[in-house]
Structure formats: C-alpha cells, structure tokens
Amino acid sequence: MTLKIYIDGRFHNREDAKVSVFDHGLLYGDGVFEGIRTYDGLIFKCKEHIDRLYQSAHALMLEIPMSKEEMVEAVKKTLKENEMKDAYIRLIVTRGMGDLGLDPRKCSKPTIIIITDKIKLYPQEFYDKGLEIVTISTQRNIHESVNPQIKSLNYLNNILAKVEAINAGVEEAVMLNSEGYVAECTGDNIFTVKNGSLFTPPIHSGVLRGITRGAVIDIAHLKEIPIHEEVLTRYDLFNADEMFLTGTAAEIIPVVRMDRRKIGDGKVGKMTLNLISEFHKLTKVDGVRF
Ligand code: PMP
C-alpha cells in the first residue's frame, strides 16, 4: 500500500505529494513542524506536541488556519488512512505560497502537511552499547536570533552541527551555547547521571523544550530521583557516571564516550536502563487513542 500524505485537507499518494516551489517553507524555511510518535494506537504526548506546534507558529506570527482540535482530528484521519498503529508523524505548517520576496504578508494561506511513516534514527547496536559523541564548534542559536524553542523549518544551525559530527566519524554532536555551556545535541536533549541524581541543561541554556525531556523529568519526580535543571559544562559531561540523549525519534539513547573520554565505566548505565524501561511503560498509557 502506498503511503497517503495529507496536504491541506486532501490525501495524495507519496509520489504525488508535492508543494509549490513558491512555498516559503521551501524558499526560506518559514514554517514550523513537530515530530510525534504513536505507540500501539496511542498518539504519545499528543497535547504537548500540538501545543508546542501552535506556540512555535505564534512566535513566528504564523496563524494556523485550523483549531488544535481540528489538527488532532486531521492527524487521526491520516493515521487511519494509512492503517498505522506504530508511526512517526511529521506535522508541518509552512507560511504557504508567496512571491520571491521575504514578506510573509504576501503568503495568503499556510500549507498544512501530515506525513505518517516509520523512523529508525540509530541501529539497535547503539541502544545496546551506547553512542559516541563529540563536541563541535557550531554554537547553538541564541535566543535573540532564532530562539531554540521554536521548532522551525530552518534547521541549518543543527544541520551544520550534524555535518561536523559526521566529519568527525560519529552520529551526534554536543552543541554549546554562546557562553560555552552545554546546550543540546543536534536533535536531542542531553541528560547526565551523577551520584544517583539526574542533570539536564535548563531551557535558558539554549535548548528545545523537548517533550521526551519533559517525560524523563516527570518519571524522575514520580520515582523520587533527584533531578536538577542546571547549567552544565563539558567537564560535567566528561565526569558524569552516565549520559543519555532524549528525543521523540531517538527516545532514550545511552552515550558512553564523548570527545574520546569514557563516560562512567564506558558501559550503558543502570539508571539509563531503568529510565528506558519506565519510558516504555509511559508510552503505553500517556496519549490520545485513534
Ligand atoms: N532538541 C532538538 C533541537 C530537537 O529537534 C528535538 C526533536 N527532535 C529535541 C531536542 C527533542 O525534543 P522532543 O523530545 O520533543 O522530540
């Protein structure tokens, strides 16, 4: 069965799902998106993702021409159309078609696209044995330019970092902010474990308010694991007992080496394994049925 893609209320076969070359999403990266997962017929953290999409759009003064409830219905409809129970949803809202100038006022109507597909970011081996990552030199955007909290279609800051990671022969990179503090990886938030406590950089370090990050923080509170949103340096990462990354697509992935330093004993840690197991339990209950 060919994949059906939702564009502005209609379904198109994968090969026919196209947008205009005058769409400002393409011309300027002017638009917002979300990556959402479903687990066995449940849209995980549905409200959180939809809220973040509308907040990103609001920050760009991009008015999404449907209510949040209608958006959830459109997502459900696309999942049903594709008969998918376990999917990765890419929800995109662009500024729409305009002319070749920047002016968003010339774009009459945002384009809404919903793709439901599968995603596997890393081979299973990395989940079993842990990732190796490096620090790269591209700084995370500062709030005064493109705020990292906006999940926009302009991901060049992250792509530049990803290119550096690939050049270094690894899959992921630690991005620092303009002050040299740890921000996040190219598409994932960072956590460390030290002496039984969890640490993650605060939002003001220049990170996306990750929904998986939020889920891990909630699990920590529930399990009475001390959790600190604290400014971190590379030194703190090097000397952590454990490290892991969080993201919708990656879920929770352990890190065992950074900048050629072993993290902890260089093996996937107990706390990380525990959190992975708790996270999987959460995916079975926290979401909207479709
Ligand atoms: N940081 C960045 C830059 C991201 O793009 C993402 C999403 N892939 C994350 C963190 C993780 O966020 P979430 O858990 O909401 O997917």
Side-chain angles (χ1 to χ4, degrees), residues 54-65:
Y54 279 71
Q55 285 172 19
S56 293
H58 185 61
L60 302 187
M61 287 188 80
L62 194 172
E63 199 169 322
I64 301 177

Side-chain angles (χ1 to χ4, degrees), residues 5 40 53 66 78 93 113 126 143 150 165 180 211 222 262:
I5 318 281
D40 196 22
L53 180 80
M66 62 164 72
T78 312
V93 184
I113 302 166
F126 290 135
H143 299 106
I150 303 173
I211 287 161
L222 212 70
K262 227 196 256 183

Side-chain angles (χ1 to χ4, degrees), residues 171-185:
E171 294 292 323
E172 257 304 344
V174 175
M175 301 181 80
L176 306 179
N177 64 22
S178 60
E179 292 175 294
Y181 293 113
V182 171
E184 60 183 339
C185 284

Side-chain angles (χ1 to χ4, degrees), residues 52 140 151 155 158 184 186-189 208 210-212 247-248:
R52 190 171 64 182
R140 190 71 178 110
K151 207 161 162 58
Y155 249 52
N158 313 64
E184 60 183 339
T186 68
D188 295 310
N189 291 111
L208 180 77
I211 287 161
T212 321
T248 295

